[in-house]
Amino acid sequence: MKIVIIQGAFLPVPPILGGAVEKMWFFLGKEFAKMGHEVVHISRKVDSLPMNETIEGVNYFRVAGFATPKSGLILKIMDLIYTLRVRKLMPKDFDIVVGNTFWTPLVLKRNAISACMVDVQRMPKGQMKLYKNARCLRANSNSVVEAIKNELSEKHHHKIAMVPNPLPFIPKYEIDFSKKEKIILYTGRIHPEKGLDLLIQAYKKTSQNYKLQIIGPWEFSQGGGGATYLESLKVLAEDAAVEFLEPIFDIEKLNDHYIKASIFIYPSMAEKGETFGLAPLEAMSWGCVPIVSDLLCFKDFITHGKNGLVFDHRSDDAISHIVKLVHLLESDSRYTKKLASEALGVRETHSISNIAGLFIKQFEQTV
């Protein structure tokens, strides 16, 4: 099968500047190639990467893109310019086009649109009705499936497919729980919608026997909330044992933090933005017990009391809910190990090879 993957205008592949979607398709592309398929992967050009190269059987082509702007309108314009540049670079022969830009299913040539699997990684905002000519609308969670259905008439529902996101790496080590450290970890964008103010307020009410580490991009150009927001979190933390680390885009180095941490808290408040939650999945694969907000997307792979814990982020008492869950894990090592052991199950259910197989099956059904 001949597969073309089109990334967005703002981050390159390989994912040297981060990006959950870029990580995912970088590894899936290599897995498709390993399975014997022809893969072309198009992404943003950056100075440190050549215009064209081949890595593990995948042909990479890069197109001039942009730094992420603050304005949503400007972002859409930049995305259009980038997608038109991609159109000129598209190979003539393909079976499936995976589209990760807003404009891919709209401005590519007709044969590319009719072969396009639109990768819906965020909650749709009315644009699904524009994509009726696309081959397939791929949702990464059941919550996104329902959101897409709400934007389309029932006769188009057959185009919707749910394939979860994979782990963007293959875990190389077994977990020795005796070497876990007293660390509570958050990784992800440093942005108001992630609920970090809630996390810090809750942490300050715990025993603070565990250190809290917060790792992620804060600059606007990388999807963060900016320097002022980061500083407000540091002020909120005061003299508590909270460590703010610079973003880590090297997967192996980030995995080192997951390996050490015992608890992973992802308190996202993004009711209409959070669609999957890759960071909790990554943490679980390294034996961290996840504590997540009660967003629908997390229910696809986290069951409260089985392989993680869930708090009601909509409650006026959300902070005390987090405090109680942290205390539960700190005080009951046997229960913590039980949850962590169950969390490791994502190594199989969300492995790159397993999810790549699900995608290929979906591609074959739609060709």
Side-chain angles (χ1 to χ4, degrees), residues 167-186:
L167 286 166
F169 51 78
I170 299 173
K172 297 178 181 177
Y173 315 108
E174 295 301 316
I175 297 300
D176 183 348
F177 290 108
S178 68
K179 294 183 179 180
K180 285 285 187 179
E181 299 178 17
K182 291 185 176 182
I183 296 173
I184 298 171
L185 182 64
Y186 166 88

Side-chain angles (χ1 to χ4, degrees), residues 198 268-271 293-297 299 310-318 321:
L198 199 73
S268 177
M269 313 289 283
E271 297 278 0
S293 53
D294 192 31
L295 294 177
L296 184 59
C297 63
K299 298 183 188 300
V310 179
F311 73 94
D312 184 2
H313 63 286
R314 304 176 190 90
S315 168
D316 293 336
D317 211 17
H321 287 182

Side-chain angles (χ1 to χ4, degrees), residues 11-18 22-23 26 43 46 49 53 55 60 62:
L11 292 171
V13 173
I16 58 173
L17 297 180
E22 286 72 20
K23 280 184 189 179
F26 174 61
S43 67
V46 291
L49 295 173
E53 65 177 325
I55 303 175
Y60 292 91
R62 300 186 176 97

Side-chain angles (χ1 to χ4, degrees), residues 188-253:
R189 292 184 298 118
I190 311 300
H191 190 281
E193 72 176 9
K194 296 299 185 180
L196 295 174
D197 53 339
L198 199 73
L199 172 57
I200 292 172
Q201 290 178 71
Y203 176 73
K204 290 167 66 177
K205 293 179 179 292
T206 69
S207 65
Q208 295 189 41
N209 288 333
Y210 284 52
K211 176 172 64 176
L212 173 60
Q213 289 185 337
I214 296 176
I215 304 174
W218 51 268
E219 294 185 30
F220 285 119
S221 63
Q222 296 172 342
T228 301
Y229 177 64
L230 175 63
E231 186 59 33
S232 73
L233 293 178
K234 292 180 178 179
V235 170
L236 179 62
E238 297 178 307
D239 57 353
V242 181
E243 184 179 8
F244 291 88
L245 300 178
E246 286 298 307
I248 299 173
F249 300 124
D250 183 290
I251 292 173
E252 295 301 326
K253 291 180 180 179

Side-chain angles (χ1 to χ4, degrees), residues 322-341:
I322 298 175
V323 174
K324 289 177 182 177
L325 294 178
V326 170
H327 176 71
L328 173 62
L329 296 178
E330 288 181 343
S331 61
D332 191 339
S333 59
R334 183 175 296 180
Y335 183 59
T336 300
K337 185 176 180 180
K338 174 180 176 294
L339 294 178
S341 298

